[in-house]
Amino acid sequence: FDLSTGAATRWAPVVGGTVNALAVGAGRVWLGGDFATVNGVSRRGLAAVDLQGGAVQPADPGVDGNVQALAARGERLYVGGWFGRLGDSSRCNVGAIQARTGEIADWNPGANADICALAVAGNEVYAGGLFTMAGGGGTGQVPRGRGAAFDARTGRLLPWNPQADAV
C-alpha cells in the first residue's frame, strides 16, 4: 500500500502456497513459507522479490521444509522454520543466508524443532518456537525452553533462557 494515500500499489507477487513471514533485506523483500512457486518461478519455501514490482530475484537458496520466521540485519537474512536443509547445507530449523546473493552463511546454531519467531537486536538473534534444545549445530545440544538467543555473527548459543513451558 502507498503509505501516503492508502491505495494499493502494483506490487503483488503471486505465490503458489502460504507465506508465513516477510523481511526486507539487501534491497529486496524476502518471502518465507510453505510454497513451491512465486510468479510461476520455482522457489521452495524461500524467495526474494523486487521491492518495486515484485519480480522474482535470482537468489534461490530454497529449503526442504517450510519457513515460519525471517529477520534481516544488514546483508544477512536469518531463517527459521521446520527444515533440515537450507540450500545445499544441513541446517536444523534455523540458519542464515547472504540477503543479496542467497548464499548460505556459516551461521548454524541448530534447534530440535520448529523456530516460529526470530528477532535481531544488536549482535543477538532471538528465537522462539517449539524447540527444547538449541545450539551447537545439528539438532541442538543445550536445553532451552522454547526460547534462545544466538550470537548474530557466530551462531554461538548465548545464556539467555526464558524457560517457557508453552508457545
Side-chain angles (χ1 to χ4, degrees):
F1 293 93
D2 182 307
L3 295 178
S4 61
T5 67
T9 67
R10 298 175 84 170
W11 191 86
V14 177
V15 180
T18 303
V19 174
N20 299 322
L22 297 170
V24 176
R28 49 193 42 99
V29 177
W30 282 91
L31 313 172
D34 187 10
F35 53 81
T37 62
V38 177
N39 295 338
V41 178
S42 178
R43 291 291 187 269
R44 178 147 181 190
L46 187 60
V49 297
D50 178 77
L51 282 167
Q52 301 306 313
V56 176
Q57 301 298 290
D60 183 19
V63 297
D64 68 347
N66 69 70
V67 173
Q68 298 173 1
L70 297 172
R73 178 177 180 247
E75 291 288 318
R76 186 166 276 188
L77 180 73
Y78 298 95
V79 181
W82 180 249
F83 52 83
R85 298 193 73 72
L86 180 57
D88 59 1
S89 300
S90 177
R91 296 290 186 272
C92 285
N93 306 313
V94 63
I97 64 170
Q98 298 305 319
R100 187 162 309 286
T101 65
E103 180 181 329
I104 309 306
D106 289 336
W107 198 80
N108 184 20
N112 70 333
D114 298 40
I115 300 287
C116 302
L118 289 171
V120 181
N123 290 321
E124 298 176 347
V125 176
Y126 292 89
L130 302 177
F131 61 93
T132 57
M133 303 287 282
T139 58
Q141 299 175 351
V142 179
R144 283 294 186 265
R146 295 178 173 78
F150 306 104
D151 183 288
R153 293 164 295 204
T154 67
R156 180 178 57 86
L157 183 65
L158 300 174
W160 185 77
N161 183 6
Q163 300 181 13
D165 62 359
V167 177

